[in-house]
Amino acid sequence: MAEEVADETLGDLDQPLEPSLANIIEQKTLKWVFVGGKGGVGKTTTSCSLAVQLAKARESVLIISTDPAHNISDAFDQKFSKVPIKVKGFENLYAMEIDPNIGYGELPDEYFEGASDAMRMGRDILQEVLGAFPGIDEAMSYAEVMKLVQGMNFSVVVFDTAPTGHTLRLLSFPQVAGLLGMQEFNADEVSGKLESILPVIQKVNEQFQNPDQTTFVCVCIAEFLSLYETERLVQELTRYCIDTHNIVVNQLLLQKPGDQPCSMCAARCRIQAKYLDQIADLYEDFHVTKLPLLEHEVRGVNQVKEFSENLVKPYMG
Amino acid sequence: MMELTSEMYLFLITSILGSAGSLLPFLMQLILRTVGKESQAERLLRQEILKLKQQLQTISMVDQFASYAKVQRKINALSQQYKDKAMERSVGEQRVRMVLGGTLRTIVGLLCVWLIWEHRSDPVVSLPTNLVWPFGPILALPSCEVGQISVMIWLAVVRTVCNKVNTALTSPRTTPQRATPIFNPPPVSPTAVPVAPPLD
């Protein structure tokens, strides 16, 4: 979880780590980047910005959103769907939106090429049975997505809206393979489909727990509840052996020098400063990137591109 | 001191072997309890965790979240260590239990078979013929004279009685003696989640 200091000189050990996401751009072995955090902190803005920056340094990038609110469609001002579509204005950036709640039973038929009627019926039965297990719907969707995505060979995949606790748990346990293996259905093709997912899940487990291939970026704001949730998220990730060493603090009020702030802004700045100190104290072995609250919303390709610069170069007002 | 006749000797041996099957679990519990106790390291860990939890009470989560979270992290790490150690111990204990139990049972079983064979025509108790009617021939199996009770029969009787006594004694209790880890669940929470923050 902690950034390895082997490559920094001894004198730098006391210095905080570089406050940007450049480390992710530079780590060429990364294949899966999750961007998560609770409650409207700016995950989508951050994940889209990160995808934009990654697209500059990689061969092909896919950003996947599992948020039913279709936020990346809003961010890039373009309609996306359940299959990867190139983002307008980019050569190598693709986007995809899936709804994890829809689950295995309603994935588009392209996922079931050559499926017979028996298989479709089996799929519905499967849907019913799997509904009994919390989070397994999501896990199955993820498994299907993984399978699809692995076949497409993107250099790196950015996930917006990280998996919920349930899915994290399921994805990180090899036992899920055993659980799914226990299902026996009338249609042989259905269990065949399941069996084809098992190795994917296992392979995905291994990749998610490999810090060279997977990392998690936690987005938060400088308020108590967000900090509390971030700590909870970090602990949970550590428990499931998923690497995380980046924190993004968003929506910060940055006073321009010479400005006379109103009493409200001054007060909010003080509150944010207090929590920024606590973040710096608690996450001294993380990269803590600070993002500003701007006077405009970050919507549309140009604004996202502009905003994405803040991920690699600290904002100076 | 009265000399033991061969009959009384046989009676004793048979009774002991018959009840051994039921006494075995208790014996093993005793052995395991002395050998497999919570080690020093585990006790220290538990104390350390309790100390840290007390420390946590004194830190205000809202005002000093960083310190609070750091202490909580230490607690989580130590709890995990404790769980791992306890799990190791319980696994080792299970193994010992199985091996020991299996060995002892085999020995007792073999001794019973030997006893029955060696003394198939020696009685455990000799009774007048009219007392054992009409079960005389059965009681004398396999090769005793009618009126005698053979080793095999007595062994069977003793074992049945002991089993019944065992089930009668253990059923009302919610058995902690069954194959579960011996460590008493200490006041250590296994999850990493702090309680809901107070609302200001």
Side-chain angles (χ1 to χ4, degrees), chain A residues 161-178:
Chain A
T161 308
T164 59
H166 282 144
T167 319
L168 257 186
R169 198 169 15 241
L170 279 175
L171 283 180
S172 53
F173 285 172
Q175 283 141 29
V176 71

Side-chain angles (χ1 to χ4, degrees), chain A:
Chain A
M1 177 178 111
E3 174 83 354
E4 287 192 312
V5 291
D7 50 351
E8 295 175 34
T9 64
L10 281 173
D12 288 339
L13 276 180
D14 295 329
Q15 301 283 38
L17 292 172
E18 190 200 347
S20 80
L21 291 185
N23 63 93
I24 294 191
I25 317 283
E26 281 155 22
Q27 193 178 348
K28 300 282 182 185
T29 55
L30 276 181
K31 285 209 60 159
W32 313 99
V33 182
F34 286 89
V35 179
K38 276 212 180 161
V41 294
K43 277 191 302 298
T44 307
T45 312
T46 307
S47 62
C48 292
S49 303
L50 182 56
V52 166
Q53 287 295 323
L54 279 169
K56 288 196 213 163
R58 298 276 195 280
E59 214 177 294
S60 60
V61 178
L62 173 67
I63 173 165
I64 301 182
S65 170
T66 55
D67 191 340
H70 305 305
N71 285 338
I72 52 174
S73 290
D74 192 62
F76 287 124
D77 198 19
Q78 185 180 344
K79 188 86 183 67
F80 297 112
S81 76
K82 293 171 187 163
V83 287
I85 291 177
K86 202 193 279 205
V87 181
K88 291 204 191 81
F90 295 90
E91 285 305 310
N92 58 349
L93 177 60
Y94 295 77
M96 185 170 143
E97 281 180 339
I98 62 173
D99 184 352
N101 298 318
I102 282 181
Y104 184 77
E106 289 175 49
L107 286 170
D109 287 332
E110 22 215 286
Y111 286 33
F112 294 95
E113 290 133 39
S116 61
D117 281 337
M119 198 169 148
R120 277 178 233 275
M121 196 168 64
R123 186 179 66 188
D124 293 336
I125 298 171
L126 185 56
Q127 172 89 357
E128 287 296 319
V129 171
L130 291 186
F133 298 100
I136 200 155
D137 242 14
E138 270 187 62
M140 291 292 279
S141 292
Y142 274 109
E144 281 290 338
V145 167
M146 291 305 172
K147 208 159 146 241
L148 184 72
V149 160
Q150 291 208 319
M152 291 180 143
N153 288 318
F154 286 100
S155 323
V156 66
V157 178
V158 178
F159 274 91
D160 176 33
T161 308
T164 59
H166 282 144
T167 319
L168 257 186
R169 198 169 15 241
L170 279 175
L171 283 180
S172 53
F173 285 172
Q175 283 141 29
V176 71
L179 176 73
L180 292 176
M182 281 191 319
Q183 313 296 335
E184 276 168 29
F185 292 95
N186 348 11
D188 278 330
E189 293 113 17
V190 177
S191 32
K193 196 76 180 176
L194 275 171
E195 277 165 14
S196 71
I197 291 179
L198 299 184
V200 175
I201 293 186
Q202 277 178 324
K203 196 161 159 227
V204 156
N205 283 351
E206 291 164 11
Q207 293 193 1
F208 278 6
Q209 295 182 344
N210 181 352
D212 289 329
Q213 293 187 302
T214 306
T215 191
F216 200 107
V217 177
C218 305
V219 185
C220 67
I221 55 177
E223 284 184 13
F224 175 75
L225 206 53
S226 184
L227 179 54
Y228 172 85
E229 287 294 348
T230 304
E231 173 64 11
R232 202 172 146 176
L233 177 61
V234 165
Q235 291 310 317
E236 204 170 351
L237 289 168
T238 314
R239 200 146 52 109
Y240 299 129
C241 303
I242 297 179
D243 170 72
T244 175
H245 57 273
N246 277 286
I247 302 242
V248 170
V249 190
N250 199 11
Q251 301 180 16
L252 288 172
L253 289 169
L254 296 169
Q255 287 177 344
K256 300 201 225 338
D259 254 6
Q260 278 293 42
C262 64
S263 60
M264 169 70 102
C265 288
R268 290 234 72 112
C269 274
R270 268 198 302 277
I271 296 175
Q272 289 190 342
K274 171 173 136 191
Y275 290 114
L276 276 174
D277 280 338
Q278 300 207 0
I279 290 173
D281 185 12
L282 191 52
Y283 299 111
E284 45 195 10
D285 47 356
F286 280 61
H287 293 268
V288 180
T289 305
K290 299 186 183 145
L291 296 179
L293 182 66
L294 300 176
E295 289 172 10
H296 59 83
E297 290 171 290
V298 181
R299 297 170 75 181
V301 172
N302 290 329
Q303 292 191 345
V304 172
K305 273 187 177 168
E306 205 184 304
F307 190 78
S308 71
E309 292 300 320
N310 298 321
L311 291 184
V312 288
K313 283 195 290 274
Y315 181 75
M316 282 308 159

Side-chain angles (χ1 to χ4, degrees), chain B residues 26-191:
Chain B
F26 290 102
L27 198 68
M28 285 214 302
Q29 286 291 81
L30 271 166
I31 299 175
L32 287 170
R33 200 150 291 197
T34 45
V35 164
K37 258 199 320 212
E38 189 180 62
S39 68
Q40 177 80 343
E42 283 174 50
R43 206 173 317 129
L44 281 174
L45 271 176
R46 203 143 50 99
Q47 285 169 353
E48 184 66 32
I49 292 171
L50 276 171
K51 209 166 35 143
L52 283 174
K53 287 194 146 186
Q54 282 166 355
Q55 194 186 349
L56 208 61
Q57 306 275 27
T58 65
I59 305 179
S60 153
M61 180 166 19
V62 185
D63 294 323
Q64 304 159 282
F65 186 76
S67 327
Y68 185 98
K70 283 187 179 174
V71 174
Q72 183 68 56
R73 283 178 185 177
K74 260 191 247 154
I75 294 178
N76 296 346
L78 290 179
S79 305
Q80 189 58 45
Q81 268 181 40
Y82 179 88
K83 264 204 302 186
D84 290 338
K85 279 211 162 59
M87 188 53 55
E88 246 178 60
R89 184 159 54 85
S90 107
V91 163
E93 184 193 295
Q94 293 279 57
R95 216 172 289 144
V96 166
R97 186 194 292 263
M98 265 175 26
V99 168
L100 199 62
T103 320
L104 286 174
R105 255 177 260 277
T106 315
I107 294 176
V108 166
L110 287 173
L111 279 175
C112 286
V113 169
W114 173 84
L115 200 72
I116 293 174
W117 180 253
E118 265 298 302
H119 299 280
R120 57 189 178 285
S121 42
D122 296 334
V124 162
V125 151
S126 291
L127 299 168
T129 327
N130 50 332
L131 270 182
V132 299
W133 187 87
F135 300 111
I138 303 174
L139 290 176
L141 283 174
S143 354
C144 287
E145 295 160 13
V146 176
Q148 295 175 328
I149 301 185
S150 72
V151 173
M152 191 171 88
I153 298 295
W154 184 238
L155 201 56
V157 167
V158 173
R159 282 182 86 113
T160 319
V161 168
C162 282
N163 277 344
K164 291 257 183 295
V165 169
N166 223 359
T167 18
L169 283 179
T170 55
S171 55
R173 267 187 288 170
T174 49
T175 47
Q177 263 93 2
R178 228 172 299 131
T180 51
I182 261 187
F183 69 95
N184 300 314
V188 171
S189 95
T191 57

